[in-house]
Amino acid sequence: VALYDTPGLILPHQLTSRLSSQDLKAVLPQKRIHHVSLRIAEEKALLVGGLARIELIEGRPFFFTAFVSDEVKLHVTSAANADAFMEKHIGGMLSPPTSLDDLDRFGEPVAHDFEVQGRGWKEAGSDIVLSGIGWVSITGAGACRIRVVAPKGVMVLQREPLMPFEARDTMGKSTGGRILKPAKKKGPKVPPKRSGNSGGSGRGGGNRRSTGSDSSQGKSYRIR
């Protein structure tokens, strides 16, 4: 039996197969990502760099939680202005891609419409998956209609939420053309270990009472 180790298959439905090496480096996370949730109202759009956009075309405001590389710049704008905004800011406020030439190489943009039934403000109703980029969880109350615009041939699908309870704790702000992500939460301070000497010899030890057999010390963990 012969075994061959290959670097992987090129999947045409993934946007990563169309990216330059520089853009590919930005899209593929090099470290743990820090997802962010943004409040999107009707007729607004979340731009995922210059790679794709997700619009809320009908319904009450919802939270969109983006699980993408930290190097992919996010921006919220009006759906009607999205095309003009992308052409103006590709390679700057919106990246990847790094240039309009790279954007043209992606191919013709195609719209995909989905209906999402919200499950309330504590649990996402659906994930919208952008193949090769990441996904966006949709959280809110009631029903809404979502439109995703991505290059033709890139797989866009709706699925059950993979991480449904993240929206409330990761709220960000869109201000001045920047997305301000929530500050990282610091874990509780771990108290210094105390000496296990509870009596006998030593300073002040003569008046201490024994508490019986030694108990094992618990371990403290830093919550991230």
Side-chain angles (χ1 to χ4, degrees):
V1 177
L3 297 177
Y4 298 92
D5 184 18
T6 66
L9 299 175
I10 296 177
L11 302 177
H13 64 267
Q14 291 189 343
L15 185 55
T16 46
S17 64
R18 310 182 193 184
L19 298 177
S20 67
S21 58
Q22 182 177 357
D23 292 337
L24 186 62
K25 185 177 180 181
V27 168
L28 298 180
Q30 306 297 312
K31 56 185 178 180
R32 179 181 177 182
I33 66 171
H34 299 95
H35 49 283
V36 61
S37 299
L38 297 162
R39 183 181 182 273
I40 307 296
E42 190 175 78
E43 299 183 356
K44 294 291 185 179
L46 173 64
L47 306 183
V48 185
L51 306 171
R53 70 175 183 264
I54 305 178
E55 306 172 5
L56 179 61
I57 57 178
E58 186 179 335
R60 298 169 60 184
F62 270 67
F63 293 153
F64 286 16
T65 305
F67 294 83
V68 297
S69 167
D70 290 352
E71 301 302 316
V72 175
K73 296 182 181 179
L74 306 173
H75 187 82
V76 178
T77 188
S78 67
N81 188 49
D83 287 329
F85 188 92
M86 288 178 66
E87 289 185 8
K88 182 177 180 181
H89 293 288
I90 285 293
M93 192 180 296
L94 293 175
S95 68
T98 54
S99 70
L100 279 174
D101 291 338
D102 291 334
L103 183 64
D104 292 338
R105 192 172 63 246
F106 292 168
E108 176 187 358
V110 175
H112 309 260
D113 288 0
F114 302 95
E115 292 188 5
V116 175
Q117 182 61 50
R119 300 176 183 173
W121 299 106
K122 295 183 178 180
E123 181 179 359
S126 288
D127 283 347
I128 302 298
V129 179
L130 305 168
S131 185
I133 305 173
W135 76 90
V136 175
S137 294
I138 313 297
T139 305
C144 70
R145 289 177 59 214
I146 302 292
R147 175 167 293 160
V148 182
V149 181
K152 185 177 181 179
V154 172
M155 185 172 67
V156 177
L157 57 88
Q158 182 178 11
R159 72 179 182 196
E160 282 292 304
L162 186 62
M163 299 178 66
F165 306 111
E166 301 299 311
R168 280 291 188 179
D169 294 331
T170 56
M171 288 302 300
K173 276 184 184 177
S174 176
T175 174
R178 298 172 56 205
I179 298 296
L180 301 181
K181 295 189 176 183
K184 300 177 187 177
K185 292 184 178 180
K186 295 183 178 179
K189 291 185 177 179
V190 180
K193 291 184 178 180
R194 300 179 63 182
S195 172
N197 186 5
S198 59
S201 61
R203 183 179 297 178
N207 295 328
R208 295 180 183 174
R209 288 185 178 181
S210 172
T211 58
S213 61
D214 292 338
S215 60
S216 61
Q217 294 181 349
K219 294 182 179 180
S220 297
Y221 295 88
R222 187 178 294 276
I223 307 298
R224 293 187 179 275

